[in-house]
Amino acid sequence: MTASFEPRIEHALQSFITDHPGMTSREEAVSAILENWFTNHGYLPSDQQGTRPENLDASNDD
């Protein structure tokens, strides 16, 4: 990926990479950020199992 972003986004991206040991490339970081955003906004399914928060009520308390 050769995309260049405005300085504040570049800085945030570099901070993200620094905060995530094991990130081996800028491309990997951008991919992780996009995957997280898409999942949190309903564009990708979550890998988590369980009851969605909006479906929780007293009947499914353990």
Side-chain angles (χ1 to χ4, degrees), residues 43-54:
Y43 295 101
L44 282 175
S46 172
D47 293 335
Q48 295 179 343
Q49 300 295 323
T51 305
R52 295 185 57 82
E54 62 269 16

Side-chain angles (χ1 to χ4, degrees), residues 1-5 10 13 26-27:
M1 176 185 293
T2 59
S4 179
F5 303 106
E10 289 290 346
L13 182 58
R26 187 174 184 270
E27 290 78 14

Side-chain angles (χ1 to χ4, degrees), residues 1-2 4 10-11 16-17 20 24-28 32 38 40 42 46-47 50 58 61-62:
M1 176 185 293
T2 59
S4 179
E10 289 290 346
H11 180 29
F16 180 87
I17 293 168
H20 292 83
T24 58
S25 69
R26 187 174 184 270
E27 290 78 14
E28 185 179 1
F38 286 139
N40 287 331
S46 172
D47 293 335
D61 283 349
D62 288 340

